[in-house]
Amino acid sequence: MNVHLKKIAAVAVALFCCMGAYAYDFMVGGVYYNKKSATEVEVTYKDIYDNTKAYAGSLVVPEKVTHGGTTYRVTAIGQMACYMCANLTSVTLPEGVVVIDQLAFGSCPKLVKVNLPNSVREIGICAFYHSALTGRVTIPEGVTKLPNGAFEGCGKITSVEFPNTLKVIGETVFKGCTSLQSVQIPAS
């Protein structure tokens, strides 16, 4: 199976898994969350098929959120959490976010800035696929793999810095990154 077909299959599986999954456990401050455990939550979406309910402008994700008398740590940006958020322009993530799941910020044509906190250890397939990220991207220490299509189509990225921990770079990670001028690879 060629690379393009593999990517289409992965995206189709992601979409299939999310169809009908409009549910979220709770919303605080305009951000939707799903519980991952008794103490952890992930950012999710309300309805990926209704862009009037999509995140827009600058999204600031808190380190902790309290709901129903329980305080949760925000540890992940869930699968397709901000997928196709046409008017999302920037995202500020707190330390403590460990996972940015597949297609989390995929197809966000105005998304120019996302900070990647040092706590991030996993970046999913097509996590930033066809977003408008601009400038330098620094992959946090601790990330060991950049999966297929992670930054594909991000035509305004100009430089990338890899961590010492990176062991695997998937296919098409930077395909279509037409402004990419430099890649910093550690000596290790």
Side-chain angles (χ1 to χ4, degrees), residues 70-137:
T70 302
T71 299
Y72 301 92
R73 290 180 299 118
V74 179
T75 59
I77 307 303
Q79 181 174 312
M80 300 175 78
C82 298
Y83 181 67
M84 293 179 59
C85 288
N87 294 308
L88 184 64
T89 57
S90 69
V91 176
T92 302
L93 300 175
E95 284 298 328
V97 169
V98 178
V99 175
I100 298 174
D101 213 337
Q102 61 185 333
L103 286 168
F105 300 104
S107 296
C108 294
K110 295 180 183 176
L111 181 60
V112 296
K113 185 176 189 312
V114 176
N115 69 306
L116 296 177
N118 292 326
S119 56
V120 171
R121 296 294 177 260
E122 183 180 332
I123 296 174
I125 293 170
C126 299
F128 298 94
Y129 181 81
H130 284 271
S131 70
L133 293 180
T134 302
R136 180 183 189 89
V137 172

Side-chain angles (χ1 to χ4, degrees), residues 3-188:
V3 174
H4 188 66
L5 288 177
K6 286 180 184 177
K7 188 180 323 159
I8 290 171
V11 171
V13 167
L15 288 171
F16 177 75
C17 290
C18 290
M19 286 185 165
Y22 303 105
Y24 55 93
D25 292 327
F26 61 89
M27 187 268 293
V28 174
V31 180
Y32 301 94
Y33 299 95
N34 278 332
K35 295 176 189 175
K36 294 179 60 171
S37 73
T39 59
E40 297 180 2
V41 292
E42 68 180 3
V43 174
T44 191
Y45 48 85
K46 183 171 183 181
D47 185 343
I48 63 170
Y49 301 106
D50 182 352
N51 213 13
T52 64
K53 298 174 184 168
Y55 298 114
S58 296
L59 174 63
V60 178
V61 177
E63 184 177 348
K64 295 178 180 179
V65 63
T66 301
H67 175 72
T70 302
T71 299
Y72 301 92
R73 290 180 299 118
V74 179
T75 59
I77 307 303
Q79 181 174 312
M80 300 175 78
C82 298
Y83 181 67
M84 293 179 59
C85 288
N87 294 308
L88 184 64
T89 57
S90 69
V91 176
T92 302
L93 300 175
E95 284 298 328
V97 169
V98 178
V99 175
I100 298 174
D101 213 337
Q102 61 185 333
L103 286 168
F105 300 104
S107 296
C108 294
K110 295 180 183 176
L111 181 60
V112 296
K113 185 176 189 312
V114 176
N115 69 306
L116 296 177
N118 292 326
S119 56
V120 171
R121 296 294 177 260
E122 183 180 332
I123 296 174
I125 293 170
C126 299
F128 298 94
Y129 181 81
H130 284 271
S131 70
L133 293 180
T134 302
R136 180 183 189 89
V137 172
T138 301
I139 308 300
E141 282 294 329
V143 172
T144 59
K145 178 181 180 181
L146 283 179
N148 295 348
F151 294 93
E152 182 174 341
C154 296
K156 296 179 181 177
I157 292 175
T158 56
S159 64
V160 176
E161 183 178 345
F162 292 140
N164 286 309
T165 54
L166 190 65
K167 296 183 184 338
V168 177
I169 300 173
E171 298 177 28
T172 71
V173 170
F174 297 104
K175 181 180 179 182
C177 293
T178 55
S179 298
L180 188 58
Q181 298 172 6
S182 69
V183 176
Q184 219 173 7
I185 301 171
S188 64

